[in-house]
């Protein structure tokens, strides 16, 4: 592996177990509206939510539309009319305190922090991401945390990374590596701005997104070995 100076880490699905946090949050919302919190219904929301965030990545919706329309769309299938923004507020109360570290995260970061500049590059709501990183004890391990909401753009957009570079005070992309689990935001984002990519792929998914992956690992331990 080429030598790098700066590592840009995604959060959800890379450092934190977002699926677990989402499940707890959506279970609370379903129960509140009298919808059975079955695995089927939670998976239905999970897939619908993912599709809405992908629309945001493609520039088809705004962040505010995603946060409200996903719930309005979901509950409409049950004949329930809701105010999406209000439901998002209920959901976010739980999500803000739900920060579950993936196995091996602290070992990985503690092994890297004295040898690399570490930065967070994450899509999402700023208040939520900052709270979750603090609850997990990750905030103090990174020199910079850059949340898409504060930039007005999101991964994989060039403008989001321009915002990150300005905050970092450097844009020497040849010395950077982005590490994340999403082909459509992390890896495509790296491709868009000329940053080498490391795809964290624990579920051995196929690369069907038409993006270039420089390195791939299925465990965080392997990432640590590659960067040692």
């Amino acid at each position: 592996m080429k030598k790098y100076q700066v590592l840009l880490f995604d959060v959800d699905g890379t450092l934190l177990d977002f699926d677990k946090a989402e499940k707890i949050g959506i279970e609370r919302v379903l129960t509140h509206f009298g919808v059975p919190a079955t695995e089927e219904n939670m998976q239905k929301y999970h897939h619908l939510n993912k599709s809405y965030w992908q629309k945001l990545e493609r520039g088809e919706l705004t962040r505010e539309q995603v946060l409200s329309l996903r719930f309005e769309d979901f509950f409409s299938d049950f004949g329930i009319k809701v105010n999406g923004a209000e439901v998002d507020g209920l959901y976010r109360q739980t999500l803000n305190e739900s920060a579950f570290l993936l196995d091996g995260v602290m070992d990985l970061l503690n092994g890297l922090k004295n040898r690399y500049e570490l930065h967070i590059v994450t899509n999402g709501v700023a208040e939520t991401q900052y709270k979750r990183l603090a609850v997990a004890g990750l905030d103090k391990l990174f020199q910079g945390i850059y949340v898409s909401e504060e930039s007005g753009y999101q991964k994989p957009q060039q403008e989001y990374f321009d915002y990150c570079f300005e905050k970092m005070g450097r844009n020497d992309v040849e010395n950077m590596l982005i590490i994340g689990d999403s082909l459509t935001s992390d890896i495509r984002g790296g491709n868009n701005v000329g940053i080498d990519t490391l795809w964290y792929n624990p579920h051995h998914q196929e690369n069907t997104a038409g993006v270039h992956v420089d390195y791939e690992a299925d465990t965080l331990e392997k990432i640590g070995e590659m960067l040692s």
Side-chain angles (χ1 to χ4, degrees):
M1 175 181 269
K2 173 183 162 183
K3 296 295 183 184
Y4 298 95
Q5 297 174 12
V6 180
L7 304 180
L8 308 178
F9 274 92
D10 170 54
V11 173
D12 290 307
T14 304
L15 302 177
L16 295 181
D17 188 340
F18 180 76
D19 289 348
K20 184 175 181 179
E22 178 189 68
K23 186 173 182 178
I24 293 171
I26 197 61
E27 186 174 15
R28 179 185 181 192
V29 169
L30 291 175
T31 301
H32 179 82
F33 286 97
V35 175
T38 62
E39 185 64 27
E40 180 183 357
N41 284 340
M42 288 189 282
Q43 282 298 313
K44 179 179 179 180
Y45 170 79
H46 173 78
H47 293 301
L48 184 144
N49 180 54
K50 187 174 181 179
S51 73
Y52 268 92
W53 282 101
Q54 288 173 342
K55 289 178 182 178
L56 175 65
E57 291 171 7
R58 296 193 297 267
E60 297 170 8
L61 294 173
T62 66
R63 185 186 63 85
E64 289 74 19
Q65 288 174 316
V66 169
L67 297 182
S68 61
L69 290 177
R70 58 181 177 170
F71 288 113
E72 293 173 8
D73 187 357
F74 176 79
F75 281 106
S76 69
D77 282 354
F78 298 92
I80 301 172
K81 184 177 177 62
V82 301
N83 180 312
E86 291 179 1
V87 180
D88 182 70
L90 175 65
Y91 170 67
R92 200 155 301 286
Q93 286 175 18
T94 301
L95 193 64
N96 284 356
E97 303 303 325
S98 302
F100 306 103
L101 287 166
L102 291 171
D103 290 341
V105 165
M106 296 307 289
D107 287 341
L108 172 64
L109 296 177
N110 283 323
L112 298 174
K113 66 181 182 180
N114 295 323
R115 295 183 289 117
Y116 296 92
E117 267 191 46
L118 303 181
H119 297 269
I120 287 285
V121 289
T122 178
N123 286 347
V125 176
E127 179 186 9
T128 296
Q129 295 302 71
Y130 284 123
K131 283 186 176 179
R132 294 172 68 234
L133 289 167
V135 169
L138 293 177
D139 53 334
K140 294 177 174 57
L141 295 175
F142 291 87
Q143 280 96 323
I145 298 172
Y146 316 115
V147 187
S148 62
E149 181 184 26
E150 294 182 321
S151 73
Y153 302 95
Q154 62 278 325
K155 295 179 294 184
Q157 293 178 308
Q158 166 86 46
E159 293 88 346
Y160 169 74
F161 287 95
D162 288 342
Y163 166 85
C164 296
F165 299 151
E166 181 179 355
K167 291 291 185 180
M168 292 165 61
R170 61 189 299 174
N171 61 358
D172 50 330
V173 295
E174 68 276 8
N175 293 316
M176 300 180 186
L177 178 71
I178 186 168
I179 301 167
D181 68 306
S182 172
L183 290 171
T184 56
S185 63
D186 305 315
I187 307 306
R188 178 165 285 133
N191 288 180
N192 286 346
V193 295
I195 298 175
D196 286 355
T197 60
L198 195 166
W199 183 27
Y200 176 49
N201 185 20
H203 304 298
H204 305 106
Q205 299 175 350
E206 279 189 67
N207 179 0
T208 58
V211 295
H212 173 73
V213 175
D214 293 289
Y215 312 102
E216 183 175 338
D218 59 2
T219 67
L220 295 179
E221 184 180 9
K222 287 182 181 177
I223 293 177
E225 292 171 356
M226 294 166 74
L227 291 167
S228 62

